[in-house]
Amino acid sequence: MSLFEQFAAGNGAKGSMTEADSNLKPASSPPPKYSEKASLFASDSDDDDTMARPAKTSRPDIALQQRREWRLSQYWVHIVVLTIFSAMTRFYKIGFSNRVIFDEAHHMGFGGKYVNHTFYHDVHPPLAKMLIGLSEALTGFDGSFDFKSGSRFPANVNYTFMRLFNASFGATLAPMAYATLVSLGCSPNAAFLAGLLVCFDNALCTISRFALLDAMLLCFTAMSVLSLSGLYKYRKQPFSAAWFKWLLATGVSLGLVASAKWVGFLAVALVGLYTLYELYDLFGQKEVGIVSHFWHWATRVVALVAIPVAIYMLCFVVHFGLLYKSGPGDAEMDSLFQAGLQGSGLQNQPLDVAYGSKITLKSAHPGAGLLHSHTDAYPDGSKQQQITGYSHKDTNNDWIVKKVHGQSYGNTTDTIEFVKNGDLVRLVHERTSRNLHSHAVAGHVSKRDWEISGYGMDGTYPDINDHWRIEVVEELSKNNPERRLRTLATRFRLRHVGQNCVLRASGKSLPQWAWRQAEMVCDRRNHLDEKTLWNVENHVNPLLPPAKPSQLKSSFLRNFARLNLAMARSNNALTPDKDKFDALASSPQDWPIMRLGMRMCGWEDGEVKFWLIGNPVVWLLSTLAVVLGPIQMLYYIVRRQRGLCDFAQEKEWETHLYVSGILWGGWALHYLPFFAMGRVTYQHHYFPALYFAAMYLAYFVEWTGRRIAGSANAPSTKAVMIGLGIAAIANFLYFAPFTFGFDYPAKDLAGRKWFSSWDIYDTTK
Amino acid sequence: MAHLESMRYRKQPGAGGGHDEATVISGMSSAAAGTPTPLDSDDAYGADRAAGLNSDLGYSYEKKDLDFSSSNNSTLTPFASGDRQHQRFSISRNQWITLGFIMLAAAYVRLWRLSNPAQVVFDEVHFGKFAGKYLNGTYFFDVHPPLAKMMFAAAGKLAGYDGVFDFKTIGLDYIAAGVPYIGMRLMPALLGLSMVPITYITLAALGHAADACALGALLVCFENALLTQSRLILLDASLIFFTGLTVMFWALFFTESHRPFGNRWWGYLLLTGVNLGNALSCKWVGLFLIATIGVWTLKDLWEKLGDLSITPAQYFKHFVARAAALIVIPVIVYLFWFQVHFSVLHKSGDGNAFMSPEFQNTLTGVNLGHTPRDVYYGSRVRIRHDATNAGYLHSHLSNYETGSKQQQITLYGFRDDNNYWILTRTEADEEAHQNSTTPHELQQIKNGDIVRLMHWRTHRRLHSHNERPPMTTNDYQNEVSGYGWEGFNGDSNDHWRVQILEGDSKVPDSKKKLMAIHTKFRLVHVNQRCALFSNRKKLPKWGHEQVEVSCMKSAKFPKTLWRIESNINENIPKSAPLAEYRRPSLIEKVLEATAVMWRVNNGLTKSHPYESRPHTWPWMRRGMAFWGADNRSIYLIGTPIVWWLSFATVVIFAAVQVVLFFRDRRGFHDRLLGARERYMESVGFLSIGWVLHWIPFFLMGRQLFLHHYLPALWLAILALVGSLDLFTRRLSRKVRQVIMFALLLATVRMYFQYSHIAYGSPWTREGCERSKWFKSWDYDCYRFPELSVKTPVAPALKPNVPEIPMPTIGAPDIGDQPVAIMRNKNGEVVAHVPPPAQNFDPLEHENKLNEPAPEIHQDHLNSNSAKLDLEMKKKATTVEAGNDTDGGEEHIAAGH
């Protein structure tokens, strides 16, 4: 029996499951039955001992069997129909535009990096991009095209297949929505309506038709909530085989969704909150003993924490494994990692730094770059030569390590002297012969600290303020008993001898007179943080042999942590200028009311154009549902507090709480956090929330119909559902040009501009 | 409480053991009547429940055991309803006598040596000065609402302060200046003193025994931080007073809950609302108080909802009464105090510049007057930036030191001749106009017209090109400069399109034609498609620290909007329609003032030597130096035992609630020695208040200080005494008394120990060193003489201790020098003065915006101007040679 059959079967015939759940249930479960009216709660039927059973429960098994088979076949028909619809909408005319559309420029480009194996940096985790890379590799893409935004695909790039590959993820959405609602106890009608709403939403369809990350994110999100619904279904039969399967499926999908985009962590939060509630519920059951509690906790920790973490990390293992060549993302990682990339220029350098070596110094603070100097002087303060941090590589970053004034060092292979921890050194800027210098003059931006300047002509004006002590903080290579200063592997501080302060990147930029490069100060308040840490990046010394590659290896965990921090930083750096109008960006309050659409490509009259807009039937009505739902809930809660009973069975209310919790809670968790995000937000950030909202709409219609008309199958309820479905399909077709692309002037679609804020065409032109 | 119990009950149908829902729900009402309900098989719980609903029964034993304070029953009256004996809350005669004695002691403690020091201390700099402004009636701007400051003004008025002394720096002498500062300090001191009876009555109303009330009053009396803060001209005493008053009336309100809508019920409710408004009008911290009362109101209303003896009509009445008293009244009170504020401060003053021109127009002494409404080509206009109150579009004879190095365009806050611009046609339009039939007729500027702006004094035209501005260097921002010279015909980079976005709905055509004051418009650069923009960024010294103006592509509207404030054209007939600024209503004025306060408040991010983050407050990591002179000093630090124990109380409350939450879930219904309901109703309320007065500070980015914790501290002290009362009731009377006395003695002992730095009275170095339990308590012990030195002369070691300027909050002119002085082991002052804070103060920044611009020597500039003209001409020639970035093509196209 497949997973789907299991849950489908579980709905109608719980009897098949009772062998598996010997844990909790005594053999008191009533004979399985299917009651149309109680279909929402059928999954609970077996432990429902307070409910008086209808007398007709002893129906012959044959009839039950027939009914079950009929239902199963109905499920399968629904699923197949939805899948066909999805495939049709997702695949139709998918290669219509032969240009790089929207963020395909980024994501196909990143996929290409996996083909080329060059290291890049991006704000998203690697899984979805690796899948795009896989689709490119499957087409035999040779990595020669750079996917520049708006450019045409060359003949040798099979972009249609790449898009098809991606769209197939998007096509799974509707069947999964159907299965989720069935699993949550909805009637097939409501579930089918949810499937239709998801299938015929223009926005979900449009975004799936291009090689973007969102289709995969949506697919994994849908998988997570489907597995969660399975978990919910079997919550009364813990440790049964089906329960384990769904638990495992939940863990795996959480791992996948989090590895596709960080938005996936919102799905993790949903499952986490659900699980915590379940455990709290369990805590109140006196009959559950401590050992049982332990197993409940242990299985969930393994399945819902350990497995997702393992998958997330595994994605990064593959990511690092595939990207072994130096590329545009090198600078985000630390020097030691870069040394492991082919072609980074950091290989074949001598390992131990000796006096007389020419080195560059890299700050551990991202953004500070390399210690730099140039011939410009400070405009005030000491008016000596500027010392800055500079991210680009040039010869003004080169420093020579020398001994303190008055001492000399050997300059042959035999007499060479290595720099060790605690040594006093002088750093001489190679191009200008200035010594790295500090003195009791206030800094230029950070006025609490001392200035760093370039002073003297090498040894011509000896000054104690040119002397720095090496303080090794961390050693990443092995076998270094003398604590020598090593290229890349040693992280150290430079302490100024005269002022007892440390060389530090202040994290601020100098003004225009220093070309806005990073400020360097001598910190006198002992902020011994990352900003004071340095390592040698480039090292040239003809007297020394190059290091063996094995000596410069960075550990996976270290790279993993570093890359994730860099991703978080880049993500937070995506802050919009709040005074600037951005045609692509939109804010969270615009989404549910469909205030804005988005042009996905250039808008020339003759080109194929796509306009990202939702299906108003789905978007606006689902917004209405998520607003009305809580109001309705409040109504019942207030009535309950007044002692008024609206529900014949307490279970009915409880089930409503659970299902609303998963669907409405999923919407809220995928939507509300965007208000708190400082980064720029786009319309497609709402899509996972919309998926939940669409399912909630279907559920809400059914539930309200049940409350008003008394049954999910009442003609009025059915009529509303059919009306909704037809309206959604009709509206989808009406907006289809936006989704499938149109190559005539946008003005021809002027009638579809329903809101004045929609930028289908420029009114000014 | 009964409802809460049954609520909890109902949520777990399993525990009911077979009772259906209907029984449980109807059981609620019977529970309210005090009938034991067969809800649980657990006998102990059932019994407790029957008794526990009337907590006086729970305490029955102690009435005979603990009646030492001759309290009558009413002190133990439960907080909530559901009581059988609806005895009215009152305080017995003996209690009043006790309170009287406590007040005598407190008056001595709180008012002793109020005259010391006779110098300006800490933020008296601000609040003394503001009091003077009220007496003078000149408008000023401050980040706090007005009530507390007006109270100081009233006190100053009564005491005879004339508003002349300006409280400029810490340490200025009051006596020499003849300032009646004692009268002004008496006001907060009396408010601080009244916290003692407020504490007593609040605790009594929350249902605590008389001895506990007395203990609470004494703890508050001897608490050093509350004491120090309430002896000076600072706002916090008023805030804490109104907070205390609100909480007291709220507690009293609940003592009347079994007589809803009675006179006292209404009285207490309305007084709660009024004082909420007062607290909010002292400082915005009052919002936390509103949250506290709001949370408790919701809880109460929720329980009332489940009380089926209340009909829906009654319930609605309950709801409306609370909404009116706790929402509408505070708003009215807040508006009322602002109305008083605005009507007292009716003269123009240094706060003008923060406000919009409409607002300024309501002040006497500001006469923005009226100006001809319609703007014609050839008009000389002054253009104001609309979104910021940073000033007028301005230019002067100095050049940018970056980019094109052409003449600067800035925003400047004062009205001077350099703000004048002449609106002219483009060269082509001018030609067409001259050739038209009516070359001399005035032509109004319309939406969409292309204009040029000529600086009246320097004849440069407003110009933009593909160069980055000096401060905002985004690639979508262009530099705006003054370009050209007298006689130069200009180029197409001088062309700006007038785009009108807002008009005055009362003035027809103001959205179509350019009109002074009514019209808000953008100036869009024709070639670059960018809009004239400003973002309050200051130019460096070479730009005279005026505000940068740039031209931004795809800018959002607000910061690109401009308005013409004055419009001069000799050809306009005298009878032409005029325009003037609207006069805003009170609500508009309050909203505007509130918005500015909010903005400036959030901008107070400058680091301060004595600022602290909220997590350091409850355990009192560090105090704040207020004042120091010779061998005395004032340092804000609490009585440690009170701070620590009160903090511990709240933490324990939270921990107990968490444990109870889970134990209830497992079916244990703990009674906490029969005090569970009272613990929730009294200590629970106070703890939630504490949380809401503390946690929100974590979200604030602005500088914070230890004294922000004081309202929370007061709530925590009450919680401490409340918990102590509830959990010592089962002990013997003697043990209970010993515990309370021990706490009191320890508090008084510590009060005396730290009183020297609270009152600024003499101390010894040994005593000081001994009291310094943590290194982070950084009051300066070397200030005090060693015991061996009998004479109060300063020790020989440091004969010339320099007068140390004291830091204050947000004071722009002082406060850069922290008072903390490092000393080495020998007590010598180490030459280590921490350098000034590096972030600029936005308040200072904003003040500076409005200072007169540095003197620009016109002669010097004029001599320079010939040179500049020459340079520009030279540049223009090179442009023609085609190697200039400055839009060379347009330049040529313009026919030059």
Side-chain angles (χ1 to χ4, degrees), chain A residues 23-206:
Chain A
N23 242 18
L24 271 180
K25 297 291 152 244
S28 70
S29 48
K33 63 123 207 165
Y34 177 75
S35 147
E36 192 68 62
K37 189 173 174 185
S39 73
L40 259 177
F41 318 107
S43 60
D44 304 322
S45 61
D46 57 344
D47 67 326
D48 194 2
D49 44 6
T50 55
M51 262 166 64
R53 309 300 310 175
K56 51 186 174 176
T57 44
S58 53
R59 179 191 299 255
D61 271 3
I62 306 281
L64 177 82
Q65 194 66 27
Q66 281 171 347
R67 200 171 256 275
R68 195 181 133 194
E69 274 165 18
W70 182 83
R71 297 216 52 91
L72 261 183
S73 62
Q74 189 190 359
Y75 287 132
W76 280 115
V77 168
H78 281 168
I79 292 252
V80 169
V81 167
L82 284 173
T83 310
I84 291 171
F85 279 167
S86 293
M88 278 162 60
T89 52
R90 266 61 177 177
F91 300 155
Y92 173 67
K93 284 208 322 194
I94 198 162
F96 188 28
S97 174
N98 64 350
R99 286 180 175 239
V100 179
I101 302 288
F102 190 47
D103 275 352
E104 282 186 341
H106 293 297
H107 302 311
M108 280 184 160
F110 293 142
K113 303 283 188 226
Y114 291 102
V115 176
N116 289 333
H117 306 295
T118 49
F119 193 80
Y120 73 93
H121 174 73
D122 181 36
V123 296
H124 301 299
L127 175 63
K129 288 172 293 182
M130 290 195 298
L131 287 171
I132 292 179
L134 173 68
S135 73
E136 292 178 9
L138 288 177
T139 62
F141 173 61
D142 59 0
S144 58
F145 185 54
D146 63 351
F147 302 101
K148 215 170 151 322
S149 181
S151 60
R152 285 181 204 282
F153 291 107
N156 63 346
V157 175
N158 186 354
Y159 63 93
T160 316
F161 178 81
M162 296 178 195
R163 285 181 185 163
L164 275 176
F165 180 88
N166 192 67
S168 51
F169 284 91
T172 60
L173 229 52
M176 283 206 275
Y178 177 84
T180 305
L181 281 200
V182 167
S183 188
L184 287 173
C186 285
S187 70
N189 297 337
F192 191 67
L193 174 64
L196 284 183
L197 294 178
V198 170
C199 176
F200 289 103
D201 179 64
N202 297 71
L204 293 178
C205 181
T206 312

Side-chain angles (χ1 to χ4, degrees), chain B residues 794-806:
Chain B
L797 246 178
K798 37 167 214 145
N800 303 321
V801 176
E803 199 57 41
I804 303 143
M806 302 295 292

